[in-house]
Amino acid sequence: MKRLILFGAPGSGKGTMGDLIQRDFNYAKISTGDILRNAIQQDSTDGRQAKSFMESGGLVPDELVIELVRQRLSRSDLDGGYVLDGYPRTLAQAEALSNIASESEKAIFIEVSESEAVERLLSRLTCSECGAIYNLISKPPKTAGTCDLCRGRVAKRADDNEEAVRQRFRVYGERTMPVIEFYGHKKVLERVNGGGAAALVYEKIKGLIA
């Protein structure tokens, strides 16, 4: 099966790009956020562990994230290929992923300036029920405050404030840039300028997949 990995700092638009790739290429979209939410909703042992870390404000340990992703990648719905959004985020996760066979592998790094990422995230809205992402500027919900998909409440996340956003951007650089270098050494990395309109960014990415 084909494996596509999307990288990008918070606010780079990788979630939006993953949705478009899923629509146009029939790839399964795999998001660590979705996997963690599902595990918590199912009240599995792994889900309870993840919840305890998330509620305390800590990072979910690599070992737990790796196991949850491994379980997801063992399912039978990935024959057409899959796109990873938000994984791997650390070298340990990248090395674990390398042990899972794939027909082909490509990593796309969506580069965006800190100022543009901050602007996007300060306009971001998130559904409290299903986790769907909206943006007041580029993708507002059809009904203000209500999710188009599940009718849940849509609002700004408490940590989508400028100070927190800039800190997340810095942490991303520290934790994930070594992973970018990892895929660069594997010679499967492509870099895409993620500034500007999403439609234009997606055209660049489509050209790398086709």
Side-chain angles (χ1 to χ4, degrees):
M1 68 192 77
K2 298 178 181 178
R3 177 159 67 221
L4 182 65
I5 304 164
L6 293 181
F7 291 106
S12 63
K14 59 185 180 296
T16 298
M17 296 301 114
D19 288 339
L20 294 171
I21 292 166
Q22 181 182 44
R23 180 195 70 187
D24 292 345
F25 293 88
N26 199 32
Y27 281 15
K29 182 187 173 188
I30 299 177
S31 159
T32 48
D34 291 342
I35 289 173
L36 290 169
R37 280 189 291 272
N38 288 338
I40 291 169
Q41 288 173 358
Q42 292 169 8
D43 198 30
S44 66
T45 301
D46 289 336
R48 289 192 293 273
Q49 289 183 44
K51 184 178 181 180
S52 68
F53 284 104
M54 294 166 73
E55 287 183 341
S56 66
L59 294 171
V60 180
D62 276 342
E63 296 79 8
L64 182 52
V65 176
I66 288 167
E67 174 57 21
L68 287 168
V69 172
R70 186 198 64 75
Q71 292 174 19
R72 176 65 184 89
L73 295 183
S74 69
R75 286 164 52 180
S76 60
D77 62 336
L78 307 179
D79 290 346
Y82 59 94
V83 55
L84 288 162
D85 167 14
Y87 185 91
R89 289 188 176 177
T90 67
L91 277 176
Q93 293 174 12
E95 289 164 355
L97 182 62
S98 292
N99 292 325
I100 299 175
S102 64
E103 175 188 326
S104 65
E105 181 178 62
K106 182 168 288 187
I108 298 178
F109 180 29
I110 305 170
E111 299 181 284
V112 64
S113 69
E114 181 174 347
S115 60
E116 184 161 358
V118 169
E119 181 181 358
R120 290 177 182 177
L121 289 176
L122 292 182
S123 302
R124 184 170 72 172
L125 302 171
T126 304
C127 175
S128 59
E129 297 296 326
C130 71
I133 303 295
Y134 299 89
N135 190 285
L136 286 170
I137 298 170
S138 59
K139 185 189 173 184
K142 293 174 183 176
T143 302
T146 303
C147 179
D148 298 346
L149 303 176
C150 74
R151 312 305 295 170
R153 179 175 173 270
V154 171
K156 260 184 100 165
R157 279 173 32 175
D159 60 347
D160 276 348
N161 59 75
E162 185 166 351
E163 181 180 353
V165 166
R166 291 189 183 279
Q167 175 62 15
R168 294 211 304 274
F169 199 95
R170 287 190 288 271
V171 170
Y172 172 84
E174 293 168 2
R175 287 174 57 86
T176 309
M177 289 309 293
V179 183
I180 303 299
E181 295 173 2
F182 174 87
Y183 285 101
H185 290 315
K186 289 184 73 174
K187 302 189 184 304
V188 296
L189 180 69
E190 300 281 357
R191 293 174 180 264
V192 169
N193 184 341
L200 297 177
V201 176
Y202 183 53
E203 284 304 311
K204 301 173 193 174
I205 290 176
K206 275 179 71 175
L208 297 173
I209 301 173

